Amino acid sequence: MKIGILGCGAIANIVVSKIMTNYDDINLSYFFDNDIKRAEKLASMTDGKATSNFDEMIDNVDLILEAASAKSVEIYASQVLKKGKDIIIMSIGSLMDNNLRENLIKIAKDNNAKIHAPSGAILGLDGIKAVADLNLTEATLITRKSPESLGRDIKKEEVLFEGKASEAVKKFPANINVAAAISLSCKRNIDVKIIADPLIDRNIHEIYIKGEFGEFSTKVMNLPCDNNPKTSILSAYSAINLLKNLNSTFSIGN
Ligand SMILES: NC(=O)c1ccc[n+]([C@@H]2O[C@H](COP(=O)([O-])OP(=O)(O)OC[C@H]3O[C@@H](n4cnc5c(N)ncnc54)[C@H](O)[C@@H]3O)[C@@H](O)[C@H]2O)c1
């Protein structure tokens, strides 16, 4: 399977460093970034090609892995799907925009293409999807990150946001994709709290879901990527796992 990567930053660097050596059936063929040097660096680590022509990349791959930004989803996702190519979207916060999401789903259906979004930096989307159609009385996310990753310079813990996921993704587009992933999985605009905590060196996400099925909570304490503290290493591995699953005949835990 030939993959084109849109966005050659923290996630893409981990994907390339792991897939290059481990999974020969996944062929990382094309790299595209606003900063062509970043694309060239990843191309040089594989047998791939860096390009500044997005159409050329779409035409020569089976699937695009978006690991760039919410804006890039707006600009490029429809072009990918119109050509009947599948896309993996990491910047899932962009899909909280109902018009954009529904439009992309329609284009995908019309062109026999698929949109995938991995679980990213969190755990438990399998369970959340399983109970999505039941009556849920609580669905909350508490995210705790370093002030640096949230663009703050503070010495004491501070609650930066309390409200709905749809607002959180607008205010913190590069930090709270997880709120969108949970909301889209449970078909609700969940409650979100974002805390900047100078005493932690992890990106911590706590999810709590309660309803007629019972209740569950998950807590993940992610190490951030070296070159982007907003992004958790787990999210890159989640993309790698999704790429592996696309090719496998047996999948578990979906
Ligand atoms: N789903 C999740 O749980 C999850 C977790 C972490 C990060 N993310 C999201 O994944 C995306 C990538 O994360 P990252 O840490 O690798 O980011 P990064 O900032 O390290 O790298 C992004 C790269 O994309 C490029 N880029 C940005 N916008 C572009 C555009 N419009 N066209 C071309 N290139 C563009 C940048 O130049 C940069 O090289 C971000 O949107 C981030 O918010 C999602």
Side-chain angles (χ1 to χ4, degrees), residues 6-12 32-35 38 66-72 75-76 90-92 118-121 173-175 177-178 227-228 231-232 235:
L6 160 58
C8 299
I11 289 178
F32 178 90
D33 197 292
N34 277 338
D35 179 347
R38 292 184 175 198
E66 177 281 321
S69 59
K71 190 77 197 161
S72 79
I75 301 170
Y76 296 112
M90 294 306 297
S91 306
I92 189 174
S119 51
N175 271 294
N177 287 285
V178 292
N227 45 359
N228 185 352
T231 289
S232 304
S235 51

PDB file of all heavy atoms in Angstrom, residues 6-12 32-35 38 66-72 75-76 90-92 118-121 173-175 177-178 227-228 231-232 235, ligand 1:
ATOM      1  N   LEU A   6       0.984  13.976   4.495  1.00  0.00           N
ATOM      2  CA  LEU A   6       0.727  15.425   4.477  1.00  0.00           C
ATOM      3  C   LEU A   6       1.082  15.959   5.864  1.00  0.00           C
ATOM      4  O   LEU A   6       0.398  15.653   6.838  1.00  0.00           O
ATOM      5  CB  LEU A   6      -0.756  15.664   4.160  1.00  0.00           C
ATOM      6  CG  LEU A   6      -1.374  17.016   4.535  1.00  0.00           C
ATOM      7  CD1 LEU A   6      -0.652  18.178   3.871  1.00  0.00           C
ATOM      8  CD2 LEU A   6      -2.862  17.036   4.157  1.00  0.00           C
ATOM      9  N   GLY A   7       2.187  16.684   5.950  1.00  0.00           N
ATOM     10  CA  GLY A   7       2.634  17.212   7.245  1.00  0.00           C
ATOM     11  C   GLY A   7       3.768  16.377   7.784  1.00  0.00           C
ATOM     12  O   GLY A   7       3.562  15.223   8.179  1.00  0.00           O
ATOM     13  N   CYS A   8       4.969  16.947   7.767  1.00  0.00           N
ATOM     14  CA  CYS A   8       6.160  16.152   8.102  1.00  0.00           C
ATOM     15  C   CYS A   8       6.785  16.629   9.415  1.00  0.00           C
ATOM     16  O   CYS A   8       7.974  16.953   9.475  1.00  0.00           O
ATOM     17  CB  CYS A   8       7.166  16.230   6.951  1.00  0.00           C
ATOM     18  SG  CYS A   8       6.465  15.574   5.422  1.00  0.00           S
ATOM     19  N   GLY A   9       5.952  16.681  10.477  1.00  0.00           N
ATOM     20  CA  GLY A   9       6.414  17.127  11.788  1.00  0.00           C
ATOM     21  C   GLY A   9       6.602  15.968  12.743  1.00  0.00           C
ATOM     22  O   GLY A   9       7.074  14.887  12.357  1.00  0.00           O
ATOM     23  N   ALA A  10       6.185  16.190  14.002  1.00  0.00           N
ATOM     24  CA  ALA A  10       6.458  15.231  15.077  1.00  0.00           C
ATOM     25  C   ALA A  10       5.877  13.838  14.789  1.00  0.00           C
ATOM     26  O   ALA A  10       6.581  12.819  14.881  1.00  0.00           O
ATOM     27  CB  ALA A  10       5.892  15.782  16.381  1.00  0.00           C
ATOM     28  N   ILE A  11       4.592  13.775  14.431  1.00  0.00           N
ATOM     29  CA  ILE A  11       3.946  12.475  14.198  1.00  0.00           C
ATOM     30  C   ILE A  11       4.597  11.777  13.004  1.00  0.00           C
ATOM     31  O   ILE A  11       4.973  10.596  13.072  1.00  0.00           O
ATOM     32  CB  ILE A  11       2.424  12.647  13.984  1.00  0.00           C
ATOM     33  CG1 ILE A  11       1.766  13.026  15.315  1.00  0.00           C
ATOM     34  CG2 ILE A  11       1.795  11.370  13.416  1.00  0.00           C
ATOM     35  CD1 ILE A  11       0.268  13.282  15.242  1.00  0.00           C
ATOM     36  N   ALA A  12       4.760  12.511  11.914  1.00  0.00           N
ATOM     37  CA  ALA A  12       5.313  11.907  10.694  1.00  0.00           C
ATOM     38  C   ALA A  12       6.723  11.361  10.938  1.00  0.00           C
ATOM     39  O   ALA A  12       7.084  10.294  10.429  1.00  0.00           O
ATOM     40  CB  ALA A  12       5.332  12.934   9.567  1.00  0.00           C
ATOM     41  N   PHE A  32       4.781  15.644   1.754  1.00  0.00           N
ATOM     42  CA  PHE A  32       4.383  17.006   1.398  1.00  0.00           C
ATOM     43  C   PHE A  32       4.314  17.834   2.671  1.00  0.00           C
ATOM     44  O   PHE A  32       3.777  17.384   3.687  1.00  0.00           O
ATOM     45  CB  PHE A  32       3.002  16.960   0.732  1.00  0.00           C
ATOM     46  CG  PHE A  32       2.437  18.293   0.350  1.00  0.00           C
ATOM     47  CD1 PHE A  32       2.679  18.846  -0.902  1.00  0.00           C
ATOM     48  CD2 PHE A  32       1.637  19.002   1.250  1.00  0.00           C
ATOM     49  CE1 PHE A  32       2.144  20.079  -1.265  1.00  0.00           C
ATOM     50  CE2 PHE A  32       1.099  20.239   0.894  1.00  0.00           C
ATOM     51  CZ  PHE A  32       1.355  20.771  -0.357  1.00  0.00           C
ATOM     52  N   ASP A  33       4.871  19.033   2.634  1.00  0.00           N
ATOM     53  CA  ASP A  33       4.823  19.932   3.792  1.00  0.00           C
ATOM     54  C   ASP A  33       4.994  21.362   3.271  1.00  0.00           C
ATOM     55  O   ASP A  33       5.668  21.573   2.256  1.00  0.00           O
ATOM     56  CB  ASP A  33       5.962  19.599   4.772  1.00  0.00           C
ATOM     57  CG  ASP A  33       5.743  20.200   6.160  1.00  0.00           C
ATOM     58  OD1 ASP A  33       5.797  21.447   6.304  1.00  0.00           O
ATOM     59  OD2 ASP A  33       5.513  19.426   7.113  1.00  0.00           O
ATOM     60  N   ASN A  34       4.390  22.319   3.988  1.00  0.00           N
ATOM     61  CA  ASN A  34       4.633  23.733   3.666  1.00  0.00           C
ATOM     62  C   ASN A  34       6.127  24.025   3.657  1.00  0.00           C
ATOM     63  O   ASN A  34       6.591  24.866   2.906  1.00  0.00           O
ATOM     64  CB  ASN A  34       3.999  24.631   4.740  1.00  0.00           C
ATOM     65  CG  ASN A  34       2.531  24.854   4.484  1.00  0.00           C
ATOM     66  OD1 ASN A  34       2.074  24.704   3.355  1.00  0.00           O
ATOM     67  ND2 ASN A  34       1.804  25.203   5.526  1.00  0.00           N
ATOM     68  N   ASP A  35       6.829  23.344   4.541  1.00  0.00           N
ATOM     69  CA  ASP A  35       8.284  23.489   4.629  1.00  0.00           C
ATOM     70  C   ASP A  35       8.901  22.293   3.895  1.00  0.00           C
ATOM     71  O   ASP A  35       9.000  21.191   4.435  1.00  0.00           O
ATOM     72  CB  ASP A  35       8.677  23.507   6.114  1.00  0.00           C
ATOM     73  CG  ASP A  35      10.174  23.636   6.327  1.00  0.00           C
ATOM     74  OD1 ASP A  35      10.931  23.465   5.347  1.00  0.00           O
ATOM     75  OD2 ASP A  35      10.569  23.899   7.475  1.00  0.00           O
ATOM     76  N   ARG A  38      11.404  19.802   5.398  1.00  0.00           N
ATOM     77  CA  ARG A  38      10.913  18.730   6.283  1.00  0.00           C
ATOM     78  C   ARG A  38      10.504  17.505   5.461  1.00  0.00           C
ATOM     79  O   ARG A  38      10.739  16.365   5.852  1.00  0.00           O
ATOM     80  CB  ARG A  38       9.724  19.223   7.098  1.00  0.00           C
ATOM     81  CG  ARG A  38      10.126  20.265   8.105  1.00  0.00           C
ATOM     82  CD  ARG A  38       8.951  20.663   8.959  1.00  0.00           C
ATOM     83  NE  ARG A  38       9.397  21.587   9.988  1.00  0.00           N
ATOM     84  CZ  ARG A  38       8.726  21.862  11.086  1.00  0.00           C
ATOM     85  NH1 ARG A  38       7.562  21.285  11.308  1.00  0.00           N
ATOM     86  NH2 ARG A  38       9.191  22.698  11.969  1.00  0.00           N
ATOM     87  N   GLU A  66      -2.833  12.358   6.890  1.00  0.00           N
ATOM     88  CA  GLU A  66      -2.759  13.784   7.260  1.00  0.00           C
ATOM     89  C   GLU A  66      -2.211  13.888   8.673  1.00  0.00           C
ATOM     90  O   GLU A  66      -2.791  13.347   9.619  1.00  0.00           O
ATOM     91  CB  GLU A  66      -4.158  14.425   7.179  1.00  0.00           C
ATOM     92  CG  GLU A  66      -4.210  15.886   7.611  1.00  0.00           C
ATOM     93  CD  GLU A  66      -4.230  16.123   9.113  1.00  0.00           C
ATOM     94  OE1 GLU A  66      -4.901  15.350   9.825  1.00  0.00           O
ATOM     95  OE2 GLU A  66      -3.575  17.056   9.576  1.00  0.00           O
ATOM     96  N   ALA A  67      -1.082  14.570   8.841  1.00  0.00           N
ATOM     97  CA  ALA A  67      -0.505  14.842  10.162  1.00  0.00           C
ATOM     98  C   ALA A  67       0.046  16.258  10.122  1.00  0.00           C
ATOM     99  O   ALA A  67       1.235  16.492  10.360  1.00  0.00           O
ATOM    100  CB  ALA A  67       0.575  13.823  10.499  1.00  0.00           C
ATOM    101  N   ALA A  68      -0.839  17.198   9.779  1.00  0.00           N
ATOM    102  CA  ALA A  68      -0.376  18.582   9.550  1.00  0.00           C
ATOM    103  C   ALA A  68      -1.095  19.567  10.468  1.00  0.00           C
ATOM    104  O   ALA A  68      -0.505  20.079  11.421  1.00  0.00           O
ATOM    105  CB  ALA A  68      -0.580  18.960   8.076  1.00  0.00           C
ATOM    106  N   SER A  69      -2.373  19.823  10.199  1.00  0.00           N
ATOM    107  CA  SER A  69      -3.116  20.835  10.972  1.00  0.00           C
ATOM    108  C   SER A  69      -4.595  20.764  10.581  1.00  0.00           C
ATOM    109  O   SER A  69      -4.945  20.225   9.517  1.00  0.00           O
ATOM    110  CB  SER A  69      -2.600  22.240  10.635  1.00  0.00           C
ATOM    111  OG  SER A  69      -2.754  22.475   9.250  1.00  0.00           O
ATOM    112  N   ALA A  70      -5.440  21.358  11.438  1.00  0.00           N
ATOM    113  CA  ALA A  70      -6.869  21.408  11.124  1.00  0.00           C
ATOM    114  C   ALA A  70      -7.084  22.130   9.788  1.00  0.00           C
ATOM    115  O   ALA A  70      -7.909  21.722   8.971  1.00  0.00           O
ATOM    116  CB  ALA A  70      -7.618  22.123  12.248  1.00  0.00           C
ATOM    117  N   LYS A  71      -6.321  23.183   9.561  1.00  0.00           N
ATOM    118  CA  LYS A  71      -6.460  23.953   8.316  1.00  0.00           C
ATOM    119  C   LYS A  71      -6.177  23.061   7.103  1.00  0.00           C
ATOM    120  O   LYS A  71      -6.836  23.160   6.063  1.00  0.00           O
ATOM    121  CB  LYS A  71      -5.474  25.139   8.361  1.00  0.00           C
ATOM    122  CG  LYS A  71      -5.669  26.143   7.281  1.00  0.00           C
ATOM    123  CD  LYS A  71      -6.874  27.036   7.579  1.00  0.00           C
ATOM    124  CE  LYS A  71      -7.331  27.775   6.350  1.00  0.00           C
ATOM    125  NZ  LYS A  71      -8.694  28.266   6.462  1.00  0.00           N
ATOM    126  N   SER A  72      -5.184  22.202   7.232  1.00  0.00           N
ATOM    127  CA  SER A  72      -4.818  21.347   6.088  1.00  0.00           C
ATOM    128  C   SER A  72      -5.956  20.389   5.730  1.00  0.00           C
ATOM    129  O   SER A  72      -6.119  20.023   4.570  1.00  0.00           O
ATOM    130  CB  SER A  72      -3.525  20.569   6.375  1.00  0.00           C
ATOM    131  OG  SER A  72      -3.788  19.456   7.200  1.00  0.00           O
ATOM    132  N   ILE A  75      -8.275  22.323   3.592  1.00  0.00           N
ATOM    133  CA  ILE A  75      -7.740  22.616   2.253  1.00  0.00           C
ATOM    134  C   ILE A  75      -7.676  21.354   1.387  1.00  0.00           C
ATOM    135  O   ILE A  75      -8.047  21.382   0.213  1.00  0.00           O
ATOM    136  CB  ILE A  75      -6.312  23.233   2.347  1.00  0.00           C
ATOM    137  CG1 ILE A  75      -6.322  24.521   3.159  1.00  0.00           C
ATOM    138  CG2 ILE A  75      -5.734  23.496   0.953  1.00  0.00           C
ATOM    139  CD1 ILE A  75      -4.927  25.056   3.499  1.00  0.00           C
ATOM    140  N   TYR A  76      -7.186  20.245   1.958  1.00  0.00           N
ATOM    141  CA  TYR A  76      -6.774  19.119   1.109  1.00  0.00           C
ATOM    142  C   TYR A  76      -7.674  17.878   1.148  1.00  0.00           C
ATOM    143  O   TYR A  76      -7.662  17.092   0.205  1.00  0.00           O
ATOM    144  CB  TYR A  76      -5.354  18.670   1.476  1.00  0.00           C
ATOM    145  CG  TYR A  76      -4.305  19.720   1.227  1.00  0.00           C
ATOM    146  CD1 TYR A  76      -3.623  20.325   2.276  1.00  0.00           C
ATOM    147  CD2 TYR A  76      -3.990  20.113  -0.070  1.00  0.00           C
ATOM    148  CE1 TYR A  76      -2.658  21.303   2.046  1.00  0.00           C
ATOM    149  CE2 TYR A  76      -3.027  21.090  -0.310  1.00  0.00           C
ATOM    150  CZ  TYR A  76      -2.371  21.670   0.750  1.00  0.00           C
ATOM    151  OH  TYR A  76      -1.432  22.632   0.510  1.00  0.00           O
ATOM    152  N   MET A  90      -5.427  12.871  11.328  1.00  0.00           N
ATOM    153  CA  MET A  90      -4.959  13.024  12.710  1.00  0.00           C
ATOM    154  C   MET A  90      -5.561  14.281  13.340  1.00  0.00           C
ATOM    155  O   MET A  90      -5.849  14.292  14.532  1.00  0.00           O
ATOM    156  CB  MET A  90      -3.424  13.143  12.758  1.00  0.00           C
ATOM    157  CG  MET A  90      -2.668  11.909  12.328  1.00  0.00           C
ATOM    158  SD  MET A  90      -3.124  10.400  13.210  1.00  0.00           S
ATOM    159  CE  MET A  90      -2.676  10.771  14.902  1.00  0.00           C
ATOM    160  N   SER A  91      -5.732  15.345  12.546  1.00  0.00           N
ATOM    161  CA  SER A  91      -6.240  16.620  13.088  1.00  0.00           C
ATOM    162  C   SER A  91      -7.754  16.543  13.180  1.00  0.00           C
ATOM    163  O   SER A  91      -8.499  17.286  12.509  1.00  0.00           O
ATOM    164  CB  SER A  91      -5.794  17.779  12.192  1.00  0.00           C
ATOM    165  OG  SER A  91      -4.402  17.755  12.026  1.00  0.00           O
ATOM    166  N   ILE A  92      -8.224  15.629  14.020  1.00  0.00           N
ATOM    167  CA  ILE A  92      -9.654  15.293  14.052  1.00  0.00           C
ATOM    168  C   ILE A  92     -10.505  16.416  14.633  1.00  0.00           C
ATOM    169  O   ILE A  92     -11.712  16.463  14.401  1.00  0.00           O
ATOM    170  CB  ILE A  92      -9.856  13.945  14.797  1.00  0.00           C
ATOM    171  CG1 ILE A  92     -11.304  13.462  14.666  1.00  0.00           C
ATOM    172  CG2 ILE A  92      -9.413  14.028  16.219  1.00  0.00           C
ATOM    173  CD1 ILE A  92     -11.546  12.095  15.234  1.00  0.00           C
ATOM    174  N   PRO A 118      -7.690   7.635  13.709  1.00  0.00           N
ATOM    175  CA  PRO A 118      -7.243   6.719  14.755  1.00  0.00           C
ATOM    176  C   PRO A 118      -7.587   7.244  16.145  1.00  0.00           C
ATOM    177  O   PRO A 118      -7.994   8.400  16.288  1.00  0.00           O
ATOM    178  CB  PRO A 118      -5.723   6.671  14.552  1.00  0.00           C
ATOM    179  CG  PRO A 118      -5.375   7.934  13.884  1.00  0.00           C
ATOM    180  CD  PRO A 118      -6.589   8.383  13.107  1.00  0.00           C
ATOM    181  N   SER A 119      -7.421   6.395  17.159  1.00  0.00           N
ATOM    182  CA  SER A 119      -7.768   6.820  18.527  1.00  0.00           C
ATOM    183  C   SER A 119      -6.808   7.884  19.037  1.00  0.00           C
ATOM    184  O   SER A 119      -7.109   8.580  20.002  1.00  0.00           O
ATOM    185  CB  SER A 119      -7.811   5.622  19.460  1.00  0.00           C
ATOM    186  OG  SER A 119      -6.630   4.870  19.335  1.00  0.00           O
ATOM    187  N   GLY A 120      -5.661   8.044  18.391  1.00  0.00           N
ATOM    188  CA  GLY A 120      -4.751   9.139  18.727  1.00  0.00           C
ATOM    189  C   GLY A 120      -4.167   9.001  20.116  1.00  0.00           C
ATOM    190  O   GLY A 120      -3.676   7.936  20.488  1.00  0.00           O
ATOM    191  N   ALA A 121      -4.303  10.070  20.913  1.00  0.00           N
ATOM    192  CA  ALA A 121      -3.594  10.143  22.193  1.00  0.00           C
ATOM    193  C   ALA A 121      -4.384   9.556  23.361  1.00  0.00           C
ATOM    194  O   ALA A 121      -3.977   9.701  24.505  1.00  0.00           O
ATOM    195  CB  ALA A 121      -3.251  11.600  22.483  1.00  0.00           C
ATOM    196  N   PRO A 173      -6.743  24.396  19.072  1.00  0.00           N
ATOM    197  CA  PRO A 173      -6.851  23.447  17.949  1.00  0.00           C
ATOM    198  C   PRO A 173      -5.720  22.415  17.881  1.00  0.00           C
ATOM    199  O   PRO A 173      -5.937  21.310  17.397  1.00  0.00           O
ATOM    200  CB  PRO A 173      -6.841  24.365  16.713  1.00  0.00           C
ATOM    201  CG  PRO A 173      -6.284  25.659  17.172  1.00  0.00           C
ATOM    202  CD  PRO A 173      -6.624  25.789  18.623  1.00  0.00           C
ATOM    203  N   ALA A 174      -4.541  22.760  18.385  1.00  0.00           N
ATOM    204  CA  ALA A 174      -3.421  21.817  18.271  1.00  0.00           C
ATOM    205  C   ALA A 174      -3.276  20.952  19.511  1.00  0.00           C
ATOM    206  O   ALA A 174      -2.365  20.136  19.603  1.00  0.00           O
ATOM    207  CB  ALA A 174      -2.127  22.588  18.010  1.00  0.00           C
ATOM    208  N   ASN A 175      -4.165  21.136  20.496  1.00  0.00           N
ATOM    209  CA  ASN A 175      -3.987  20.447  21.770  1.00  0.00           C
ATOM    210  C   ASN A 175      -5.100  19.498  22.152  1.00  0.00           C
ATOM    211  O   ASN A 175      -4.923  18.684  23.049  1.00  0.00           O
ATOM    212  CB  ASN A 175      -3.863  21.489  22.889  1.00  0.00           C
ATOM    213  CG  ASN A 175      -2.437  21.915  23.110  1.00  0.00           C
ATOM    214  OD1 ASN A 175      -1.614  21.128  23.535  1.00  0.00           O
ATOM    215  ND2 ASN A 175      -2.137  23.150  22.765  1.00  0.00           N
ATOM    216  N   ASN A 177      -7.454  17.562  20.125  1.00  0.00           N
ATOM    217  CA  ASN A 177      -8.071  16.645  19.169  1.00  0.00           C
ATOM    218  C   ASN A 177      -8.813  15.523  19.892  1.00  0.00           C
ATOM    219  O   ASN A 177      -9.813  15.001  19.396  1.00  0.00           O
ATOM    220  CB  ASN A 177      -6.993  16.037  18.276  1.00  0.00           C
ATOM    221  CG  ASN A 177      -6.464  17.033  17.272  1.00  0.00           C
ATOM    222  OD1 ASN A 177      -7.132  17.339  16.305  1.00  0.00           O
ATOM    223  ND2 ASN A 177      -5.273  17.560  17.516  1.00  0.00           N
ATOM    224  N   VAL A 178      -8.308  15.162  21.071  1.00  0.00           N
ATOM    225  CA  VAL A 178      -8.918  14.058  21.824  1.00  0.00           C
ATOM    226  C   VAL A 178     -10.378  14.371  22.174  1.00  0.00           C
ATOM    227  O   VAL A 178     -11.216  13.470  22.181  1.00  0.00           O
ATOM    228  CB  VAL A 178      -8.101  13.725  23.092  1.00  0.00           C
ATOM    229  CG1 VAL A 178      -6.764  13.136  22.722  1.00  0.00           C
ATOM    230  CG2 VAL A 178      -7.900  14.936  23.962  1.00  0.00           C
ATOM    231  N   ASN A 227      10.059  16.887  19.702  1.00  0.00           N
ATOM    232  CA  ASN A 227      10.057  18.121  18.904  1.00  0.00           C
ATOM    233  C   ASN A 227       8.709  18.825  18.860  1.00  0.00           C
ATOM    234  O   ASN A 227       8.542  19.797  18.126  1.00  0.00           O
ATOM    235  CB  ASN A 227      10.585  17.867  17.486  1.00  0.00           C
ATOM    236  CG  ASN A 227      10.002  16.622  16.887  1.00  0.00           C
ATOM    237  OD1 ASN A 227       9.219  15.939  17.546  1.00  0.00           O
ATOM    238  ND2 ASN A 227      10.336  16.322  15.648  1.00  0.00           N
ATOM    239  N   ASN A 228       7.728  18.333  19.634  1.00  0.00           N
ATOM    240  CA  ASN A 228       6.450  19.033  19.744  1.00  0.00           C
ATOM    241  C   ASN A 228       5.748  18.589  21.029  1.00  0.00           C
ATOM    242  O   ASN A 228       5.076  17.553  21.056  1.00  0.00           O
ATOM    243  CB  ASN A 228       5.568  18.743  18.515  1.00  0.00           C
ATOM    244  CG  ASN A 228       4.292  19.560  18.556  1.00  0.00           C
ATOM    245  OD1 ASN A 228       3.998  20.227  19.546  1.00  0.00           O
ATOM    246  ND2 ASN A 228       3.517  19.498  17.487  1.00  0.00           N
ATOM    247  N   THR A 231       2.078  17.320  21.284  1.00  0.00           N
ATOM    248  CA  THR A 231       1.692  16.025  20.719  1.00  0.00           C
ATOM    249  C   THR A 231       2.276  14.873  21.533  1.00  0.00           C
ATOM    250  O   THR A 231       3.451  14.871  21.879  1.00  0.00           O
ATOM    251  CB  THR A 231       2.173  15.953  19.249  1.00  0.00           C
ATOM    252  OG1 THR A 231       1.368  16.845  18.486  1.00  0.00           O
ATOM    253  CG2 THR A 231       2.031  14.557  18.668  1.00  0.00           C
ATOM    254  N   SER A 232       1.409  13.884  21.815  1.00  0.00           N
ATOM    255  CA  SER A 232       1.847  12.714  22.578  1.00  0.00           C
ATOM    256  C   SER A 232       2.395  11.643  21.633  1.00  0.00           C
ATOM    257  O   SER A 232       1.845  11.425  20.549  1.00  0.00           O
ATOM    258  CB  SER A 232       0.659  12.130  23.343  1.00  0.00           C
ATOM    259  OG  SER A 232       0.083  13.112  24.168  1.00  0.00           O
ATOM    260  N   SER A 235       0.044   9.079  20.032  1.00  0.00           N
ATOM    261  CA  SER A 235      -0.777   9.382  18.854  1.00  0.00           C
ATOM    262  C   SER A 235      -0.096   8.905  17.573  1.00  0.00           C
ATOM    263  O   SER A 235      -0.754   8.427  16.645  1.00  0.00           O
ATOM    264  CB  SER A 235      -1.135  10.865  18.773  1.00  0.00           C
ATOM    265  OG  SER A 235       0.001  11.654  18.908  1.00  0.00           O
TER     266      SER A 235
HETATM  267  N1  LIG B   1      -5.736  12.735  17.035  1.00  0.00           N
HETATM  268  C1  LIG B   1      -4.891  12.973  18.046  1.00  0.00           C
HETATM  269  O1  LIG B   1      -5.037  12.449  19.152  1.00  0.00           O
HETATM  270  C2  LIG B   1      -3.724  13.901  17.816  1.00  0.00           C
HETATM  271  C3  LIG B   1      -2.646  13.858  18.702  1.00  0.00           C
HETATM  272  C4  LIG B   1      -1.585  14.703  18.458  1.00  0.00           C
HETATM  273  C5  LIG B   1      -1.606  15.590  17.398  1.00  0.00           C
HETATM  274  N2  LIG B   1      -2.670  15.615  16.571  1.00  0.00           N
HETATM  275  C6  LIG B   1      -2.738  16.553  15.435  1.00  0.00           C
HETATM  276  O2  LIG B   1      -1.983  16.008  14.364  1.00  0.00           O
HETATM  277  C7  LIG B   1      -1.421  17.064  13.599  1.00  0.00           C
HETATM  278  C8  LIG B   1       0.086  16.839  13.450  1.00  0.00           C
HETATM  279  O3  LIG B   1       0.697  16.839  14.716  1.00  0.00           O
HETATM  280  P1  LIG B   1       2.283  17.014  14.840  1.00  0.00           P
HETATM  281  O4  LIG B   1       2.599  17.003  16.291  1.00  0.00           O
HETATM  282  O5  LIG B   1       2.986  16.079  13.947  1.00  0.00           O
HETATM  283  O6  LIG B   1       2.434  18.531  14.321  1.00  0.00           O
HETATM  284  P2  LIG B   1       3.778  19.305  13.971  1.00  0.00           P
HETATM  285  O7  LIG B   1       3.463  20.749  14.205  1.00  0.00           O
HETATM  286  O8  LIG B   1       4.941  18.712  14.665  1.00  0.00           O
HETATM  287  O9  LIG B   1       3.944  19.038  12.401  1.00  0.00           O
HETATM  288  C9  LIG B   1       2.988  19.486  11.473  1.00  0.00           C
HETATM  289  C10 LIG B   1       3.675  19.651  10.123  1.00  0.00           C
HETATM  290  O10 LIG B   1       2.676  19.927   9.158  1.00  0.00           O
HETATM  291  C11 LIG B   1       3.042  21.054   8.387  1.00  0.00           C
HETATM  292  N3  LIG B   1       1.806  21.745   7.993  1.00  0.00           N
HETATM  293  C12 LIG B   1       0.922  22.354   8.797  1.00  0.00           C
HETATM  294  N4  LIG B   1      -0.104  22.846   8.085  1.00  0.00           N
HETATM  295  C13 LIG B   1       0.149  22.535   6.786  1.00  0.00           C
HETATM  296  C14 LIG B   1      -0.532  22.768   5.568  1.00  0.00           C
HETATM  297  N5  LIG B   1      -1.706  23.447   5.525  1.00  0.00           N
HETATM  298  N6  LIG B   1       0.014  22.313   4.411  1.00  0.00           N
HETATM  299  C15 LIG B   1       1.190  21.653   4.436  1.00  0.00           C
HETATM  300  N7  LIG B   1       1.894  21.388   5.557  1.00  0.00           N
HETATM  301  C16 LIG B   1       1.376  21.831   6.727  1.00  0.00           C
HETATM  302  C17 LIG B   1       3.954  21.893   9.259  1.00  0.00           C
HETATM  303  O11 LIG B   1       4.859  22.650   8.475  1.00  0.00           O
HETATM  304  C18 LIG B   1       4.666  20.824  10.091  1.00  0.00           C
HETATM  305  O12 LIG B   1       5.868  20.376   9.486  1.00  0.00           O
HETATM  306  C19 LIG B   1      -1.766  18.375  14.338  1.00  0.00           C
HETATM  307  O13 LIG B   1      -2.897  18.980  13.758  1.00  0.00           O
HETATM  308  C20 LIG B   1      -2.103  17.903  15.727  1.00  0.00           C
HETATM  309  O14 LIG B   1      -3.011  18.766  16.398  1.00  0.00           O
HETATM  310  C21 LIG B   1      -3.723  14.772  16.742  1.00  0.00           C
END
